[in-house]
Amino acid sequence: MRTAVVVGAGMSGLAAAGALARSGWRVLLLERAERVAAPPTAVVLWPNGQRALAALDPDGGWSAVWSPLPDGGVRRPDGQWLVAPHVRPGTGPAPAAVHLEDLYDALIAGLGDGVEIRTGFEVTTVVAGEGRRPAVGDGRTVIEADLVVGADGIDSRVRAAVAPEAVALGAGLAAWQAVIPGFRVPDLPGFVGGETLGSGYRFVAIPLGPLRGGVYWVATAAGAARPESPATQLTLLRRWFAGWHEPIGALLAATRPEELIPQGVRELRPLPRAYGFRSGPGGVVLIGDAAHAMPHHLGQGACLAFEDAATLRSLAAGVASGGDLGAAVEEYSRLRRPRTTTVIRQNRRMSAVVQARGRLALRARDAALNHMRPRILGRTLDPVTDWSPPD
């Protein structure tokens, strides 16, 4: 039986571990924290991410945990429509919102008995290279396997060992997320969510549907991460977005400091030269943010991570008990790197829209957005959202 070590028990690590186990692998899932826990926030899954999850676990009951999103349109801070709500162009189902706690529960339930979880294990060393069987260690214990999967996020220790050229850099903006629980959501008649663009500021509000209720919101602002406490940052957000159309003020007023998740937004520049590396009889692969962390302008981070896991499952299933694992590792890189490069290119185009600042830039953005937005969400994103798992 083939063996795999998956480093990191976030979304991509859980998805990859479960998929490998269902393909006949014996899997060890390592997590540096003392327990596997979801951040108290939410995520949007586009059709490509939904298809990836369905391929990873056809019996996962995914549609029970997410809620389809109507198009809420795009507004200016004064409430004027930049892009009125419309039927989404492109193919496939609508994007869907899911609370991360519900998504983690489903991913953990899909691990089965073929996955051993070891918490409190921080990988500090990675062994890889020609003639060397892949291994990871924490300074006390070394664990060898046929395959090492680096799912350990933007500051990946696995990536640092096999692709040190990829560096995490600031993307020029800070972000804040929060989920307001259903019992504290203010009265919002007709609320379907939506996006508002200002001068260097953005606010997105998303209803979480009937399963859990509540509202998920994301705010971004140009600049670096703030050093203040969450309570002070929430006060700043209320000041910055004061005067913006409702329900933005009501949502910020209903948010508590302990619900706020601030972050400095970073990205990998350049991308790793490859996502799969032969090592002895097996290899090392990178998935999720360890491979292609990017700003969340298009909401594709989680979707690409699930695509990675679904592609890895498809390739690894054929070598579960034999075959050339090294060739499968290289094929994974051949399939995934061009794909993520395309998405990142589109993400950077969107960045120019949502981060516009200055009177002339804003005037040009507002004038162009009615034409640009449908194109970005339609023909331009079709190659992104129409992705299907490999056979």
Side-chain angles (χ1 to χ4, degrees):
M1 179 182 289
R2 293 283 196 181
T3 60
V5 171
V6 178
V7 182
M11 285 186 289
S12 58
L14 289 168
L20 289 170
R22 287 188 294 276
S23 299
W25 289 60
R26 187 170 72 250
V27 182
L28 175 60
L29 178 59
L30 303 177
E31 170 56 41
R32 67 178 180 179
E34 293 303 321
R35 63 190 185 95
V36 177
T41 182
V43 69
V44 173
L45 295 175
W46 288 79
N48 53 307
Q50 297 172 31
R51 295 189 197 100
L53 281 173
L56 284 165
D57 187 359
D59 300 320
W62 303 110
S63 61
V65 300
W66 65 50
S67 301
L69 293 177
D71 189 335
V74 186
R75 301 189 188 203
R76 290 177 18 172
D78 61 5
Q80 179 179 335
W81 290 109
L82 289 170
V83 181
H86 60 283
V87 176
R88 294 183 184 274
T91 60
V98 57
H99 197 290
L100 282 189
E101 291 180 358
D102 297 326
L103 185 58
Y104 269 57
D105 286 347
L107 290 169
I108 291 171
L111 293 178
D113 297 330
V115 179
E116 175 191 350
I117 302 176
R118 191 175 302 178
T119 58
F121 192 105
E122 182 171 1
V123 169
T124 57
T125 58
V126 179
V127 176
E130 185 176 353
R132 309 180 74 181
R133 192 163 189 248
V136 298
D138 66 348
R140 300 182 302 274
T141 305
V142 176
I143 304 170
E144 292 187 343
D146 298 312
L147 180 69
V148 169
V149 180
D152 47 343
I154 191 170
D155 294 311
S156 169
R157 289 293 183 90
V158 178
R159 187 190 66 245
V162 296
E165 70 279 358
V167 180
L169 300 174
L173 70 157
W176 298 262
Q177 303 179 61
V179 170
I180 305 171
F183 68 90
R184 274 200 288 106
V185 172
D187 185 25
L188 305 172
F191 173 69
V192 295
E195 176 179 355
T196 305
L197 297 177
S199 177
Y201 294 88
R202 184 189 194 193
F203 194 96
V204 180
I206 297 170
L208 287 178
L211 177 64
R212 182 180 288 266
V215 173
Y216 168 53
W217 63 258
V218 181
T220 60
R226 303 290 304 194
E228 299 91 350
S229 69
T232 300
Q233 292 190 50
L234 185 55
T235 300
L236 287 172
L237 288 170
R238 289 167 178 163
R239 182 183 307 160
W240 292 339
F241 290 96
W244 286 41
H245 68 83
E246 291 298 343
I248 293 174
L251 293 175
L252 289 171
T255 303
R256 294 178 177 174
E258 62 269 21
E259 295 164 346
L260 189 69
I261 303 177
Q263 65 179 126
V265 180
R266 295 182 294 159
E267 60 186 332
L268 291 183
R269 282 181 180 261
L271 290 176
R273 65 187 185 279
Y275 291 157
F277 305 84
R278 279 184 181 261
S279 183
V284 178
V285 298
L286 303 174
I287 67 175
D289 281 351
H292 42 67
M294 69 186 80
H296 47 261
H297 301 309
L298 292 179
Q300 281 291 320
C303 297
L304 288 179
F306 294 138
E307 286 185 24
D308 293 340
T311 303
L312 181 62
R313 179 209 62 81
S314 177
L315 296 171
V319 294
S321 57
D324 188 348
L325 178 56
V329 165
E330 292 179 338
E331 177 68 2
Y332 169 81
S333 184
R334 188 190 70 80
L335 291 173
R336 294 307 299 159
R337 201 176 184 286
R339 164 74 176 155
T340 58
T341 299
T342 296
V343 177
I344 287 172
R345 185 181 303 119
Q346 302 303 333
N347 199 61
R348 289 174 181 163
R349 293 180 63 190
M350 181 63 85
S351 176
V353 176
V354 302
Q355 292 185 265
R357 302 177 70 184
R359 183 168 55 87
L360 293 179
L362 289 174
R363 184 178 299 171
R365 178 199 70 187
D366 293 354
L369 197 54
N370 274 314
H371 303 286
M372 189 176 187
R373 182 74 180 188
R375 178 164 52 85
I376 287 179
L377 292 181
R379 294 190 304 274
T380 304
L381 265 190
D382 272 350
V384 174
T385 60
D386 285 352
W387 177 91
S388 294
D391 296 332

